[in-house]
Amino acid sequence: MTTNAKVLDLNKKLELSLTKVNATSLPQMNTHLAIDCSGSMQDEYQDGLVQNIVDRFLVAAMKFDSDGKLEVGTFNTSFHHQARAQISDVETYVRKNNLSVRGGTNYAPVITDFVLNAEAPTVKAKVGGMFSKMFGKDTAA
């Protein structure tokens, strides 16, 4: 399958999934993908699963991210920022960026970097947790 055909196929699948859940307008957000590159992922790199996952996230980034690029990082015992992925990286990102397995696994650095240090969303977040209405905390402004 050529790169363009794969992008169209993945895009069609994403559109179908969004239609099934009645997602008519999509929020704009920064897209991030953290890829495990610990030793236990050897088979997933060899059989192309990691590249297939990158491809799927790239197609989603085209829909959700304002610049259509995907922030990528790899982690094992530490976290490393990688080159931002763009649609031209479909079927080639893992090989082009020499992603390979090594070492053990530590989730804390990737969580700290990608989740806790993420840019604040442009849309104001709703105040209060999922039980705030139940326990009387008024979130209406």
Side-chain angles (χ1 to χ4, degrees), residues 36-46 50 75-76 98-104:
D36 186 346
C37 65
S38 64
S40 63
M41 292 290 290
Q42 181 69 38
D43 291 342
E44 287 75 9
Y45 277 83
Q46 285 181 341
V50 173
F75 67 96
N76 48 26
N98 297 316
L99 301 187
S100 61
V101 297
R102 61 204 173 279

Side-chain angles (χ1 to χ4, degrees), residues 9 21 26 45 50 64 68-69 95 97 110 113 132:
D9 182 53
V21 296
L26 301 175
Y45 277 83
V50 173
F64 291 98
K69 294 182 180 177
R95 185 181 70 251
N97 291 282
V110 70
D113 195 282
S132 61

Side-chain angles (χ1 to χ4, degrees), residues 8-74:
L8 289 173
D9 182 53
L10 289 172
N11 192 38
K12 198 181 304 182
K13 288 178 182 176
L14 177 62
E15 289 287 336
L16 182 61
S17 296
L18 293 171
T19 302
K20 284 181 180 179
V21 296
N22 294 321
T24 55
S25 65
L26 301 175
Q28 290 291 294
M29 63 184 77
N30 294 327
T31 54
H32 301 267
L33 176 62
I35 303 171
D36 186 346
C37 65
S38 64
S40 63
M41 292 290 290
Q42 181 69 38
D43 291 342
E44 287 75 9
Y45 277 83
Q46 285 181 341
D47 68 13
L49 178 64
V50 173
Q51 181 61 58
N52 286 335
I53 290 169
V54 171
D55 294 346
R56 289 172 188 248
F57 272 83
L58 271 169
V59 170
M62 289 175 27
K63 298 276 185 213
F64 291 98
D65 201 301
S66 59
D67 67 1
K69 294 182 180 177
L70 178 65
E71 296 285 337
V72 179
T74 55

